[in-house]
Amino acid sequence: MHTHNRRATILTAILVVATITTVPLFGGTAAAQEETANDYFETFRSMEGTEAYDEYDELETVRTFAVSKTQVTGELTAADQAEFEAVLGVLTEFDRAYVLAEGGDYEASLAAAENVSAYADDLEEYDQTQATLATLALTRFYERLGDGLYEEADATNSTPERIEHLGMTATAYERADMPEEATQFRVQAEQLSAEFERDRETIATVQNASSTFLEDCADCADVQAAVSANGFETFAAYQDAEATHIQIREARERAAHHGLADREEQLAAMSDDVGQTRTTLAIASVVVLIGYGVVVGLLGTIVAGRLFVWRRTYDAARVGSVVSVGDSDV
């Protein structure tokens, strides 16, 4: 009895699992059915009034033609479906490229535009006229995209962003079949990139040199400590501080020119530290100079006193010599 019930339960579970597994499969088969001409008709008709097609009327012509063709197409052949898919790809990817460009996402816009070109190549196998219209619209789009990218490159104060925008500008003009403009902006991007790399190396060198100077002159924060640590080398330390401070100022100017806010902030902090050290070393140099002057003055006084005593002794000796000679004559 229990064995019979267990078998019945197992059979029921198997049937339930089989039913659950089978239902999605049938549903998936239905969902995978090819679209009808009417489906494409509704899709293309729903795209009416799209801003991208209004601005690039070649694509509105492609859309209108697709709507008309779906109305007279009966059962779809494989070629019909491939053609409509290519048209749909051209229209949707162009609209996406247009919207992305309007939103300032130029890199994604260029990628979407490249997809448009691929779909246009597919469309050319079935309708060369429609493919040509799509290519014409895409060429105009690339030219306008290049103009917009150049404006963005000119407006930004960040050199890395400017280099990126100039590179994309060159790519857009190249795809717009404007080789001279493409070459011009490619060269600008390369020259700016080389300048940026040189300045970055200079900034890094200055930062390292400044850190080394501050570490080597750790006792320079206090006048007495600076004098004790450096002695007569205080003057040389002050000159090093002055030279380092000038280098930092020039490096900050380069960082600001390239829009490197983080580097500029780091250099500003270093400039403050080196500036304080320079001031301390200037005062310490004066202290050393005064001390040296006092010592020299004391030595001078001692030497002058000695000379004065020697002179008096010498004069007295001469007078005594004259008196002795006079007495003998008498």
Side-chain angles (χ1 to χ4, degrees):
M1 181 69 175
H2 291 293
T3 303
H4 177 73
N5 289 338
R6 178 187 289 176
R7 288 177 180 174
T9 302
I10 293 172
L11 276 174
T12 302
I14 292 173
L15 287 173
V16 169
V17 171
T19 303
I20 293 173
T21 306
T22 306
V23 170
L25 289 176
F26 285 115
T29 302
Q33 289 178 354
E34 296 178 352
E35 293 193 50
T36 64
N38 188 63
D39 292 331
Y40 283 111
F41 167 75
E42 293 295 338
T43 299
F44 293 135
R45 190 178 66 169
S46 67
M47 293 178 173
E48 184 177 1
T50 301
E51 184 178 347
Y53 313 151
D54 289 341
E55 190 163 343
Y56 294 87
D57 52 2
E58 298 94 339
L59 290 177
E60 178 59 23
T61 302
V62 171
R63 188 197 69 81
T64 302
F65 181 81
V67 170
S68 301
K69 189 166 184 178
T70 54
Q71 287 178 306
V72 297
T73 300
E75 186 175 349
L76 289 179
T77 64
D80 291 332
Q81 185 165 13
E83 178 182 346
F84 290 146
E85 283 295 317
V87 172
L88 185 60
V90 165
L91 293 173
T92 54
E93 285 299 301
F94 191 95
D95 181 50
R96 191 163 76 89
Y98 178 87
V99 171
L100 287 168
E102 290 295 306
D105 193 349
Y106 297 108
E107 188 172 0
S109 178
L110 280 172
E114 193 170 2
N115 292 337
V116 175
S117 182
Y119 281 117
D121 290 341
D122 293 341
L123 181 58
E124 191 173 10
E125 297 181 18
Y126 307 100
D127 193 321
Q128 189 169 3
T129 300
Q130 304 305 311
T132 300
L133 287 171
T135 302
L136 286 173
L138 188 58
T139 299
R140 287 204 298 126
F141 174 76
Y142 275 132
E143 183 177 354
R144 290 188 60 182
L145 189 60
D147 294 342
L149 281 165
Y150 173 65
E151 290 178 1
E152 289 289 325
D154 193 49
T156 182
N157 66 343
S158 169
T159 297
E161 289 182 12
R162 185 179 292 113
I163 293 171
E164 183 180 8
H165 280 89
L166 286 173
M168 288 191 289
T169 301
T171 299
Y173 281 133
E174 189 175 39
R175 294 179 183 176
D177 197 22
M178 300 171 67
E180 292 184 4
E181 288 79 358
T183 301
Q184 174 188 346
F185 289 109
R186 190 80 66 193
V187 169
Q188 284 188 27
E190 291 172 356
Q191 290 176 341
L192 186 58
S193 180
E195 176 192 340
F196 178 61
E197 287 304 318
R198 286 196 304 269
D199 286 350
R200 277 211 312 174
E201 289 178 6
T202 300
I203 290 170
T205 300
V206 170
Q207 285 184 304
N208 291 335
S210 301
S211 297
T212 301
F213 169 76
L214 291 170
E215 289 173 3
D216 292 344
C217 202
D219 295 326
C220 298
D222 179 74
V223 173
Q224 186 175 353
V227 172
S228 300
N230 297 284
F232 286 106
E233 296 296 323
T234 303
F235 300 104
Y238 170 74
Q239 291 176 344
D240 289 343
E242 180 67 21
T244 303
H245 198 260
I246 292 172
Q247 291 174 350
I248 293 175
R249 184 178 66 237
E250 292 174 351
R252 283 185 66 186
E253 290 174 356
R254 292 179 188 229
H257 172 70
H258 292 298
L260 301 176
D262 291 344
R263 289 294 185 94
E264 189 178 1
E265 186 177 344
Q266 293 169 4
L267 288 166
M270 281 187 164
S271 180
D272 291 341
D273 293 340
V274 173
Q276 291 175 3
T277 300
R278 181 187 60 173
T279 301
T280 302
L281 288 170
I283 298 171
S285 297
V286 173
V287 170
V288 171
L289 187 61
I290 292 173
Y292 177 76
V294 170
V295 171
V296 170
L298 288 173
L299 289 175
T301 301
I302 293 171
V303 170
R306 295 275 184 165
L307 287 173
F308 181 74
V309 171
W310 176 81
R311 180 70 180 178
R312 288 180 61 185
T313 304
Y314 175 74
D315 290 342
R318 288 187 62 190
V319 171
S321 176
V322 171
V323 171
S324 298
V325 173
D327 291 342
S328 63
D329 288 339
V330 173

